[in-house]
Amino acid sequence: MSTSLPIIAINVARGDLFKIRQPRALVTIVGALTLFTGGMNFVSFHIKKPAVLALIRIDAGYQLALSFLGILALCICASYSAQEFSLKTLRNLFLHAPSRLGVIFGKVLAGVVIIFALNSYIFLFSLAFGLSNGTELRASQVMGLLRDFSHGFMSTCALGIFGTTLGFICASSVIAIAVGLLWSLIIESILSSTLAHSTAWLPIVNFENLAGSGAKTLSTITFTHSLVVSAGYVVFLLALSILSFTRADIP
Amino acid sequence: MSAIAINSLTKNYGDIPRVDSISFEVPRGSVCGFVGPNGSGKTTTMRMLLGLIRPSSGEASILGHSIQEPGSYLHKVGAMIEGPAFYPHLSAEKNLRLLQKVGVIARDSQAIARSLTHVGLAGREKDRYKGFSLGMKQRLGIAAALMFEPELLILDEPTNGLDPVGAVEVRELITTLAARGLTIFISSHLLEELEIMCDYFVMIQSGKIQFAGSAKQLMNSQELTLIIRPEYAIDQKTLLSLAREQGFKAEILGDSVHIANARGQGAHFNRLAAAAGINLEHLQTHAPTLTEIFFSTKSGPR
């Protein structure tokens, strides 16, 4: 009985989702997200104090909170793939789900589901915040909101896959998260400022531009450009994960 | 058909062979002890059999399936390699449930409770893994290996960290499982336990197989030592001379004369001693224990 790749991937994803359902992990993640999203919404609606409240986008807080969710997604996905190495649970996982590709795709699938749930949470939280602070939700805004949501989801997924790849390559949660944060927060900034022409091709810049529907980071980078570059990076990162993991020994 | 069949399996790390062209078979339904010093290649061999690492060359099959396709046989194999590994923040039960979710075997709702009871962890299923003692962790590892009712059990040092009572319990558990027809491939440093449990042995040293065969073959391949003790200690030297005159290697150890490689020579030496006017107080043929074989065979069992 040799089980098909999709079944193994779904089973691995179910295992990961089972792990994250534990109260402590949930409370920590949702708590941090609530705090940050609440803070960003408060900044959008109260600190900035728009002259005309109606001019502010109802999901302004969501747009700001997305950057935090992106970092959080990177850390969660890096940690969830790397911890299998550090806890040596990868061998248990493989003995029960004997397909290296299945394990990788399962991890990615679990990450996508988690990101969808968290993205939905901060989106709905921000909408509720906006509505409770006097903005109106007009029918004409619905399509725009859905677009923002889907772009935010795509951007966060890309960061999650970046984290998963780092987890598989570094095989250590701490190193994977450190490398991820170092690249996202420092190295790209240095590259952007020193090699201006490289900015349009940097992964995090494009992921962020995707989240902002092409208007968040640089007006010179179009949404379509970011979409294509981001997709390229996602394919490259997945290929890197597959290449490194399928050839490596399981510790 | 053998449960495990290995043919010229090799694993190199760089230029250094960790497992060097080993070949052996483990019959179905046997309890096979895999014996060798630390670093001899036991765990590497087991990891290759489970598809965790890829061999550099050679072939092997598990339950008739090539190890190139781990997916075709791993659902029939329970294993614990290099100690148990579970998620510390989850309870014993949740760790096993997670493996059920990940696994491809149809879920049996009673399997978790049954396997925890098997290993003596009933009543501790809600406790978190990180609070477990080393012995309890080992038991949980064995419970996970047993959960899917495998045909073949591969256990790497399952008694590590267990107290003597725990080690005996594991031995009894393995004996019970073997009685059901399960094939068990087990490595352990508790050679006395292996000697009691196993009916088949594979001995490995420096990545090379020194012996592979039944317990009877192993014992038959060993030199039997004849231990004779004269009534009076003064006669020891005479007995020693007699043995050497007969072409045997002999030495005096304590109050006895030990004559090496003297299989079936007991009656002969009894007659020789009587002819020399020596009364024997004690005459015994001694077969080496597995521990003695292990320590005496730097170059492998003879």
Side-chain angles (χ1 to χ4, degrees), chain A residues 67-68 70-76 78 159 162-163 166 173-189 204:
Chain A
S67 56
F68 179 69
I71 295 296
L72 194 66
L74 188 153
C75 294
I76 291 173
L159 278 160
F162 182 44
L166 286 174
S173 300
V174 174
I175 296 173
I177 290 171
V179 170
L181 293 181
L182 197 68
W183 179 271
S184 310
L185 303 177
I186 298 174
I187 295 176
E188 280 216 2
S189 303
I204 307 297

Side-chain angles (χ1 to χ4, degrees), chain B residues 55-190:
Chain B
S56 304
S57 64
E59 290 175 5
S61 67
I62 300 281
L63 303 170
H65 300 275
S66 166
I67 60 167
Q68 303 296 331
E69 297 284 338
S72 61
Y73 62 84
L74 280 181
H75 60 282
K76 298 180 198 169
V77 178
M80 186 176 75
I81 298 292
E82 285 186 306
F86 294 98
Y87 301 101
H89 63 286
L90 297 183
S91 68
E93 184 193 14
K94 283 184 175 170
N95 265 300
L96 295 187
R97 189 172 297 158
L98 192 146
L99 291 181
Q100 274 196 334
K101 283 181 185 295
V102 169
V104 295
I105 306 282
R107 281 165 205 95
D108 172 357
S109 58
Q110 297 301 311
I112 293 175
R114 199 170 47 234
S115 56
L116 286 173
T117 305
H118 255 325
V119 297
L121 283 178
R124 306 300 299 268
E125 58 269 23
K126 301 289 180 200
D127 293 357
R128 285 186 182 189
Y129 177 72
K130 67 180 174 188
F132 277 12
S133 67
L134 184 57
M136 290 164 74
K137 288 176 179 175
Q138 287 288 120
R139 288 162 192 262
L140 187 61
I142 297 171
L146 290 175
M147 193 167 54
F148 297 106
E149 303 203 341
E151 290 176 34
L152 169 66
L153 200 55
I154 296 180
L155 299 173
D156 185 19
E157 306 287 354
T159 48
N160 255 3
L162 294 182
D163 55 24
V165 176
V168 170
E169 284 173 2
V170 168
R171 187 187 77 205
E172 286 170 353
L173 174 65
I174 288 170
T175 308
T176 309
L177 294 169
R180 288 194 215 154
L182 198 70
T183 309
I184 300 168
F185 187 51
I186 177 173
S187 79
S188 173
H189 286 126
L190 295 179

Side-chain angles (χ1 to χ4, degrees), chain A residues 23-247:
Chain A
R24 189 178 294 184
L26 260 186
V27 167
T28 307
I29 292 169
V30 174
L33 210 52
T34 305
L35 206 66
F36 196 83
T37 310
M40 289 298 102
N41 274 288
F42 187 78
V43 167
S44 298
F45 287 91
H46 297 288
I47 307 290
K48 285 185 175 177
K49 289 182 181 168
V52 183
L53 201 58
L55 289 179
I56 191 169
R57 283 167 63 166
I58 194 169
D59 62 343
Y62 169 70
Q63 293 290 330
L64 287 175
L66 264 179
S67 56
F68 179 69
L69 179 63
I71 295 296
L72 194 66
L74 188 153
C75 294
I76 291 173
C77 292
S79 166
Y80 262 56
S81 49
Q83 76 167 182
E84 304 289 1
F85 290 88
S86 48
L87 294 174
K88 298 188 187 299
T89 43
L90 191 59
R91 76 173 87 107
N92 264 352
L93 198 61
F94 179 76
L95 291 177
H96 291 85
S99 160
R100 283 169 161 85
L101 276 181
V103 170
I104 289 178
F105 288 131
K107 290 276 172 198
V108 171
L109 183 60
V112 168
V113 172
I114 292 166
I115 286 166
F116 183 80
L118 297 180
N119 196 39
S120 302
Y121 173 71
I122 66 164
F123 183 73
L124 294 173
F125 185 103
S126 299
L127 280 188
F129 197 100
L131 288 172
S132 66
N133 280 277
T135 55
E136 292 173 9
L137 179 60
R138 291 182 294 274
S140 58
Q141 289 181 317
V142 171
M143 287 311 289
L145 287 174
L146 287 176
R147 184 201 60 199
D148 287 352
F149 174 81
S150 62
H151 291 171
F153 175 60
M154 282 193 289
S155 162
T156 318
C157 281
L159 278 160
I161 289 169
F162 182 44
T164 302
T165 305
L166 286 174
F168 274 116
I169 291 172
C170 299
S172 153
S173 300
V174 174
I175 296 173
I177 290 171
V179 170
L181 293 181
L182 197 68
W183 179 271
S184 310
L185 303 177
I186 298 174
I187 295 176
E188 280 216 2
S189 303
I190 294 171
L191 287 173
S192 283
S193 56
T194 53
L195 302 164
H197 61 279
S198 69
T199 306
W201 303 99
L202 293 172
I204 307 297
V205 168
N206 282 287
F207 296 163
E208 283 186 356
N209 199 41
L210 205 61
S213 301
K216 191 175 181 184
T217 313
L218 291 169
S219 55
T220 51
I221 305 176
T222 64
F223 175 76
T224 311
H225 171 89
S226 287
L227 189 64
V228 172
V229 172
S230 298
Y233 271 116
V234 165
V235 170
F236 170 73
L237 290 168
L238 280 176
L240 202 61
S241 298
I242 290 167
L243 206 66
S244 64
F245 185 56
T246 51
R247 301 175 81 173

Side-chain angles (χ1 to χ4, degrees), chain B residues 108-299:
Chain B
D108 172 357
S109 58
Q110 297 301 311
I112 293 175
R114 199 170 47 234
S115 56
L116 286 173
T117 305
H118 255 325
V119 297
L121 283 178
R124 306 300 299 268
E125 58 269 23
K126 301 289 180 200
D127 293 357
R128 285 186 182 189
Y129 177 72
K130 67 180 174 188
F132 277 12
S133 67
L134 184 57
M136 290 164 74
K137 288 176 179 175
Q138 287 288 120
R139 288 162 192 262
L140 187 61
I142 297 171
L146 290 175
M147 193 167 54
F148 297 106
E149 303 203 341
E151 290 176 34
L152 169 66
L153 200 55
I154 296 180
L155 299 173
D156 185 19
E157 306 287 354
T159 48
N160 255 3
L162 294 182
D163 55 24
V165 176
V168 170
E169 284 173 2
V170 168
R171 187 187 77 205
E172 286 170 353
L173 174 65
I174 288 170
T175 308
T176 309
L177 294 169
R180 288 194 215 154
L182 198 70
T183 309
I184 300 168
F185 187 51
I186 177 173
S187 79
S188 173
H189 286 126
L190 295 179
L191 299 177
E192 294 84 359
E193 294 292 333
L194 284 186
E195 195 167 9
I196 296 168
M197 283 187 280
C198 299
D199 48 22
Y200 205 86
F201 287 99
V202 175
M203 302 185 89
I204 186 169
Q205 185 153 0
S206 304
K208 291 178 185 294
I209 296 297
Q210 304 294 320
F211 175 85
S214 67
K216 195 175 174 185
Q217 285 173 319
L218 178 64
M219 292 310 162
N220 284 342
S221 72
Q222 299 303 304
E223 287 180 0
L224 294 187
T225 304
L226 188 66
I227 302 171
I228 51 179
R229 188 167 65 237
E231 185 179 11
Y232 302 108
I234 197 165
D235 293 328
Q236 284 177 347
K237 287 186 178 171
T238 312
L239 285 174
L240 186 69
S241 302
L242 279 172
R244 287 179 175 166
E245 280 168 18
Q246 298 286 313
F248 288 94
K249 191 177 161 190
E251 60 184 335
I252 296 171
L253 290 174
D255 56 359
S256 305
V257 178
H258 289 234
I259 304 167
N261 205 9
R263 185 183 295 272
Q265 299 294 322
H268 176 62
F269 273 97
N270 199 9
R271 280 193 294 273
L272 280 178
I278 299 169
N279 288 333
L280 296 184
E281 190 179 75
H282 179 87
L283 187 149
Q284 179 204 352
T285 304
H286 173 72
T289 62
L290 188 61
T291 309
E292 287 170 328
I293 296 170
F294 181 79
F295 282 112
S296 70
T297 53
K298 283 287 177 194
S299 58

